[in-house]
């Protein structure tokens, strides 16, 4: 399969970024990253894989020169759930320290999410369409 980018509106995945902040603080205390995957719906988009996806995120961080660098963060499998229609969902999460992360970067640049599968990587968004703090 190689790499694939999912269309913006799909029912195969959803993602979220949230942060714990203090009033007027430029950096968040913690950042929570979350991805939910519907394996069956993901396969219907043309991704043929074994169902053992590994979610990851690219998070904008700041280096010593105050330049943005994108740090890859692996999410861990959290739980499996189902809806009333019998669809199964895998949720992957991680909470990271807000060190070197700016709240404004999470709002303006957002977080890019992807899935590593046995047949390649699947990106959950196109370039410049990242998941942003406070909304997409």
């Amino acid at each position: 399969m190689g790499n694939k980018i999912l269309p913006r509106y799909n029912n195969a995945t959803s993602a979220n970024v949230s942060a714990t902040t203090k009033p007027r603080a430029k950096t968040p205390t913690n950042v929570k990253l979350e991805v939910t995957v519907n394996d069956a719906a993901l396969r219907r988009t043309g991704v043929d894989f074994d169902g053992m996806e590994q979610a990851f995120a690219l998070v904008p961080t700041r280096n010593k020169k105050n330049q943005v660098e994108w740090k890859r963060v692996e999410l861990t499998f959290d739980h499996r759930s189902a809806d009333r229609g019998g669809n199964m969902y895998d949720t992957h999460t991680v909470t990271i320290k807000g060190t070197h992360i700016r709240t404004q970067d999470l709002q303006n640049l957002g977080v890019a999410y992807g899935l590593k599968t046995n047949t390649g990587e699947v990106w959950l968004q196109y370039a410049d369409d990242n998941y942003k703090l406070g909304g997409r």
Side-chain angles (χ1 to χ4, degrees), residues 11-134:
N11 63 352
T13 64
S14 64
N16 186 43
V17 56
S18 59
T20 304
T21 59
K22 293 181 180 177
R24 294 179 293 285
K26 290 184 178 182
T27 61
T29 307
N30 294 305
V31 177
K32 182 177 181 183
L33 308 171
E34 180 178 279
V35 172
T36 301
V37 181
N38 177 330
D39 288 352
L42 187 57
R43 285 188 186 95
R44 286 192 294 273
T45 69
V47 178
D48 184 26
F49 74 114
D50 63 5
M52 302 297 290
E53 73 279 348
Q54 171 62 51
F56 64 89
L58 296 180
V59 179
T61 62
R62 293 285 174 154
N63 64 21
K64 291 180 182 180
K65 294 181 181 180
N66 201 32
Q67 299 166 321
V68 173
E69 292 182 344
W70 293 88
K71 178 182 175 186
R72 185 173 170 135
V73 177
E74 303 294 327
L75 283 69
T76 57
F77 176 80
D78 189 287
H79 65 276
R80 179 167 252 217
S81 59
D83 64 17
R84 295 169 97 182
N87 294 300
M88 300 299 294
Y89 301 91
D90 297 333
T91 299
H92 307 260
T93 63
V94 68
T95 300
I96 58 175
K97 297 276 184 209
T99 309
H100 305 295
I101 299 172
R102 295 271 174 88
T103 302
Q104 187 175 15
D105 291 339
L106 294 175
Q107 293 167 335
N108 296 333
L109 301 173
V111 174
Y113 286 101
L115 303 172
K116 181 179 174 186
T117 73
N118 64 312
T119 59
E121 289 186 344
V122 179
W123 290 95
L124 308 193
Q125 68 286 307
Y126 288 92
D128 300 321
D129 193 25
N130 294 340
Y131 292 83
K132 297 179 178 166
L133 183 62

